[in-house]
Amino acid sequence: MQFERKHILDMESLSAEEITFIIDTADRLKEISRRPVKKVPTLRGKTVVLFFYEASTRTRSSFEIAAKRLSADSISISKASSSMVKGETLIDTAKNIEAMNPDIIVVRHSSAGAPHMLARLLKTSIINAGDGMHSHPSQALLDIMTVREKKGSVKGLKIAIIGDISHSRVARSDITGFTKMGAEVVVAGPPTMIPKGIESLGAQVADSSDDAVKKADVIIMLRIQKERQNSFLYPSDREYSKIFGLNRERMKKAKKDVLIMHPGPVNRGVEISSELADGPYSIILDQVTNGVSLRMALLFLISGGIRNADTD
Ligand code: CP
């Protein structure tokens, strides 16, 4: 298939065929990261700007590594190191970046819809690296890639997403992405952290975290997004951990071949015990590894794929 998209903004706008094509491309690019010299000339001469208005470890570094492995030039701009601290608006900052002719701007912003707005206002390709509580498409794509790699297929699997669903862009993008790929998604967590109408995205709400764990082929644990909550939504970390956290006791109810995932950052001892985060069911670091090739695929495809690649 020909990938014709200029932007990657959310999972809603990607078809199952496009998701498969992106992940197939990422699978093919993965071996580059295993070479002694981890670099190909494919995006030589292209410029990627990483514009991160919010903190990030995994997304930012993997986009940067992905750009470098494809020989693109990349620069990073954070809120703290930009003139936004002097009062410059997001739009003015973005227009000034665009005036320097980058090919792709990767944006993370605390406001939902910021990347969509930039995609409307600018001519440059935009990749959403996480916008507020709305969407995190590259995370959902790497999650689907990792499950497909480990289980062979996503279709028919039961995916349990447990934790702070309300404030999680990963939850929204994973629900949309996994259901598009034919999986069944169940969510669980404190009632104060399950948004009304979540069923409209295609997820079912489990009766309890035990119930969600028992039936799941894949368990995705989420941290409590305290930075996005403006009131106390649970009594204490200890109580949360006991009722909703993944620990040795709760895992006794899980299937023998279950996979444990987490988008990170992990709050050990709250949503998941260290023993399970580091244990044999955990594929948390596989997600991070796949994040590089998945983001290489996005940069490659958004740049026009093989048509615009440097093949020297
Ligand atoms: N999963 C994720 O978005 O992690 P970072 O916030 O570290 O990028």
Side-chain angles (χ1 to χ4, degrees):
M1 89 173 249
Q2 200 77 2
F3 193 83
E4 300 289 358
R5 284 194 183 274
K6 184 173 176 190
H7 312 290
I8 299 288
L9 297 175
D10 49 46
M11 293 304 288
E12 284 76 8
S13 52
L14 292 174
S15 66
E17 193 189 11
E18 286 173 309
I19 293 170
T20 302
F21 188 71
I22 292 167
I23 294 173
D24 288 347
T25 306
D27 275 343
R28 282 200 296 279
L29 294 172
K30 194 168 171 174
E31 63 83 24
I32 295 167
S33 297
R34 296 194 202 102
R35 294 181 192 177
V37 179
K38 305 174 185 64
K39 211 172 181 70
V40 292
T42 313
L43 295 189
R44 196 159 54 190
K46 304 278 183 197
T47 305
V48 178
V49 176
L50 308 171
F51 182 23
F52 275 63
Y53 190 86
E54 247 190 10
S56 167
T57 298
R58 284 145 288 267
T59 312
R60 180 170 167 162
S61 52
S62 61
F63 265 116
E64 186 157 359
I65 289 170
K68 288 187 190 321
R69 292 203 176 150
L70 293 172
S71 298
D73 298 310
S74 66
I75 65 147
S76 273
I77 300 173
S78 66
K79 184 187 175 192
S81 64
S82 78
S83 289
M84 290 180 87
V85 289
K86 300 178 198 163
E88 191 166 50
T89 65
L90 170 65
I91 294 171
D92 280 340
T93 306
K95 282 188 170 169
N96 278 270
I97 293 169
E98 183 171 66
M100 298 179 228
N101 270 334
D103 298 283
I104 300 175
I105 302 178
V106 179
V107 188
R108 170 168 287 191
H109 201 279
S110 49
S111 296
H116 298 68
M117 180 181 73
L118 296 185
R120 280 195 303 277
L121 292 175
L122 306 183
K123 293 185 193 75
T124 312
S125 286
I126 304 290
I127 299 180
N128 180 2
D131 61 324
M133 298 190 282
H134 176 227
S135 196
H136 195 346
S138 64
Q139 180 69 46
L141 289 164
L142 75 89
D143 287 350
I144 298 167
M145 175 183 178
T146 310
V147 171
R148 191 179 84 165
E149 186 178 85
K150 299 290 175 191
K151 294 279 191 189
S153 168
V154 170
K155 199 170 171 111
L157 294 180
K158 290 192 168 50
I159 314 283
I161 307 179
I162 303 176
D164 180 3
I165 310 295
S166 290
H167 300 91
S168 172
R169 56 194 172 209
V170 175
R172 280 177 185 73
S173 290
D174 273 350
I175 292 168
T176 305
F178 277 110
T179 51
K180 273 191 188 189
M181 299 309 288
E184 270 178 51
V185 181
V186 170
V187 298
T192 48
M193 296 184 197
I194 304 283
K196 278 200 184 82
I198 192 75
E199 294 86 352
S200 67
L201 288 183
Q204 299 301 309
V205 181
D207 292 337
S208 64
S209 45
D210 281 344
D211 191 45
V213 165
K214 202 160 45 185
K215 295 174 185 158
D217 298 298
V218 178
I219 303 170
I220 301 175
M221 298 306 295
L222 299 176
R223 88 188 157 88
I224 305 164
Q225 317 251 328
K226 290 182 183 168
E227 73 277 19
R228 299 199 186 115
Q229 298 178 357
N230 46 21
S231 57
F232 288 106
L233 298 179
Y234 63 104
S236 68
D237 284 356
R238 200 158 149 244
E239 196 152 340
Y240 180 91
S241 173
K242 197 165 159 223
I243 302 172
F244 301 103
L246 198 57
N247 50 37
R248 192 189 297 187
E249 205 46 41
R250 187 152 286 125
M251 266 301 280
K252 286 181 186 161
K253 300 180 169 64
K255 291 185 182 176
K256 295 287 165 255
D257 60 348
V258 74
L259 300 174
I260 298 173
M261 301 173 73
H262 194 307
V266 174
N267 286 150
R268 289 171 179 261
V270 183
E271 69 270 15
I272 187 166
S273 67
S274 273
E275 177 189 29
L276 292 179
D278 301 330
Y281 299 103
S282 171
I283 55 166
I284 294 172
L285 292 179
D286 299 271
Q287 291 173 263
V288 179
T289 301
N290 282 340
V292 174
S293 44
L294 189 283
R295 287 165 177 134
M296 286 169 76
L298 293 181
L299 296 175
F300 171 66
L301 293 171
I302 287 298
S303 301
I306 202 68
R307 281 173 295 155
N308 289 340
D310 184 334
T311 48
D312 285 354

